[in-house]
Structures are given as structure tokens and as C-alpha cells.
Amino acid sequence: MNRVFVVSDGTGVTAEQVLNAALTQFEGAEVKVERRPGVRTDEQVQQVVLEAAQAGGFIVHTLVSDQLREVMLRTGRQHNVETIDLMGPLLARLSWQLSTSPAEKPGLFRQLNEEYFRRIEAMEFALHHDDGRRVHELPQAEIVLVGVSRTFKTPLSIYLAFKGWFVANVPIVLEVKPPSVLFDLLPGRVFGLTINPVRLAELRRVRQEHLSGATGEYADPDFVRREVEYALSIFRSQREWPVVDVTDKPIEEIASEILALL
């Protein structure tokens, strides 16, 4: 069952009514709505985000304060919790149409635009730094994913970029030394991705069939095992690189592990 936390600096009644109206369009969806009213401090926002993270849920909120919305966005991003802002976009559009900012907190429209453009910039960064491209720009990345082929480096990069993180990924190929710049990055920024060799061979075999078998040793079980072991030997030599096992895990779960380690 999906758990949705309705967060408000008031009673939360309006937000819950809007959510329930929207949920009528999702017949059969099992959703438990939990209201959290009177949220007016940074600590309260952080607490409800942690609660949602532990429950595997998401947040719908009507926070009026710029500061609290920023804390909600940042904390949700850190804990991989989706936060849906019902109030911010409405205030932004009203600010635009009325040619004025909300009296309490000026600068809202600019802030929302900055959030939007950062996400676009992060997506562009991930695409431009996919599969080892532009390795000289790796120091600009907030997260660098390293692993052999088919360890979900690209979909992870896109998923994390959508969350606003600047992500690059670098492939590891058997007996090919990774770019030297990789070993000069700040501690904790590089994440090694590993996978069960048997499962990886199966994934590569499907890929090989899709390419009509024109991949050489790519899916050979012995080659796959040696390549995974080669990657692990690199990871062991870099003790400050956290290693995440991606075997049979969905992208969301892998991303959550990476963000928790980060």
C-alpha cells in the first residue's frame, strides 16, 4: 500500500481534499493518506521527510514559506523522497499574472525557476557525461558511477539527474585502465557498481541476442566473471569508493542506497 504524507503549515484539510479529488482518477490504487498539520520549522520538515523515507512513501504539501519549501525540497532530495508542492507553483503563477511577489516571502518565482533550470542542467550534464565521455570534466560531477557494462550506470545517472544531482558515469573494461582523473576526485564522490556475474551474463546474453550476436566475448560467462573481478579489484584499491551491489534491484532502490551513502 502506498503511503502519502499530507504536510501543511496549517490544518492540512485543503491539501487532503485536493489529494483525494485527484486520487478518484486512480481507481483501485491502494493509498493510505496521513496528515501532518502545523509543520512550521525546519526540524519538523526534516522529521516528516525521514518518516516518509522509512515508510517508502511520498509527500504532498502546501507549505507557504519559501524557506520551508526549500528545506522540504532539499531534504526530500537527500533521502530520495518525492515531494509534490501544491502551493508553490500556484503562488508562482499568481506572482507572474499579478506582476508582484507574495507579501510574506519575495523571490518565490525566481526560486522556482532556479529549481526548474537546475534540473534541466543536471539532465544535460548526465547525457554529456555518459559512458566515459568528457572525463576531464569529472571534477564537476557530484556523483560519479563506475562499473562494467550493464550495471545500470546510464539509467541511474538519468534518474539521479531528474532529482537534481550532477552525475557522470565511467565504464570499466577488462584489462583497460580507467582514466587517471577518476582517482583524483574528492573522497566519497565515486561509487562502484557491482553485480552477480551469473546474472550479468544473463543480461548480456539478452543484449547479445538483440544485437544478433555481434558482441564477441561480451556475454561469455568466463569473460563476464573476469571482468567483474577486475572491477572489484579496482574498487578494493580505492577504499574511499563505496560499492553498491545492483543485482536484481530496481533503479529507485539503488539510487536510495547511493544517496544514503553520499
Side-chain angles (χ1 to χ4, degrees):
M1 176 178 292
N2 296 290
R3 292 178 65 183
V4 185
F5 294 80
V6 173
V7 180
S8 173
D9 44 15
T11 64
V13 172
T14 300
E16 187 170 1
Q17 289 175 340
V18 171
L19 175 62
N20 287 332
L23 288 174
T24 61
Q25 302 299 316
F26 298 89
E27 185 177 354
E30 296 185 356
V31 177
K32 181 179 181 182
V33 178
E34 302 184 27
R35 197 193 312 171
R36 296 293 184 272
V39 175
R40 299 177 182 176
T41 67
D42 294 2
E43 291 74 17
Q44 288 175 309
V45 171
Q46 293 162 355
Q47 179 59 42
V48 75
V49 171
L50 288 174
E51 188 178 357
Q54 293 170 358
F58 62 94
I59 293 172
V60 174
H61 67 90
T62 54
L63 299 173
V64 173
S65 164
D66 280 2
Q67 178 185 339
L68 292 183
R69 274 199 307 276
E70 183 180 351
V71 173
M72 177 68 78
L73 178 66
R74 183 175 66 249
T75 310
R77 180 172 172 255
Q78 290 171 345
H79 295 280
N80 201 26
V81 173
E82 190 69 30
T83 60
I84 301 174
D85 183 358
L86 296 182
M87 186 63 72
L90 175 60
L91 291 176
R93 294 301 296 271
L94 288 173
S95 177
W96 177 267
Q97 292 294 332
L98 301 175
S99 301
T100 185
S101 295
E104 182 190 4
K105 295 287 183 179
L108 169 65
F109 190 72
R110 184 190 70 250
Q111 177 185 325
L112 291 176
N113 271 302
E114 288 174 353
E115 174 194 338
Y116 170 78
F117 285 115
R118 175 182 171 83
R119 184 169 293 185
I120 295 299
E121 189 177 357
M123 294 290 286
E124 291 179 346
F125 187 92
L127 294 174
H128 291 159
H129 298 82
D130 182 45
D131 204 30
R133 290 193 293 170
R134 302 187 181 186
V135 292
H136 62 285
E137 296 178 353
L138 286 181
Q140 299 176 20
E142 295 175 304
I143 298 173
V144 178
L145 306 176
V146 184
V148 301
S149 175
R150 310 306 287 177
T151 49
F152 313 121
K153 297 186 299 298
T154 296
L156 271 170
S157 295
I158 299 300
Y159 181 85
L160 289 167
F162 184 75
K163 298 288 186 180
W165 295 93
F166 283 67
V167 187
N169 71 76
V170 178
I172 290 181
V173 180
L174 184 61
E175 298 180 355
V176 175
K177 188 175 181 180
S180 59
V181 65
L182 194 62
F183 303 99
D184 296 328
L185 299 178
L186 294 175
R189 186 172 294 186
V190 183
F191 293 81
L193 304 179
T194 190
I195 189 172
N196 180 281
V198 175
R199 179 58 177 148
L200 179 58
E202 294 174 357
L203 293 172
R204 289 187 174 184
R205 188 157 47 248
V206 173
R207 177 67 171 170
Q208 188 177 47
E209 291 172 357
H210 178 72
L211 297 176
S212 302
T215 53
E217 296 181 300
Y218 182 69
D220 178 74
D222 182 62
F223 176 84
V224 170
R225 178 187 56 78
R226 288 187 291 121
E227 193 164 54
V228 171
E229 290 178 352
Y230 175 64
L232 286 172
S233 70
I234 295 174
F235 300 158
R236 284 192 291 267
S237 71
Q238 304 297 313
R239 295 185 178 181
E240 294 176 332
W241 291 7
V243 178
V244 177
D245 190 336
V246 303
T247 307
D248 293 329
K249 292 178 182 175
I251 296 300
E252 296 84 355
E253 181 178 343
I254 303 169
S256 293
E257 288 188 36
I258 290 172
L259 294 178
L261 291 167
L262 186 67

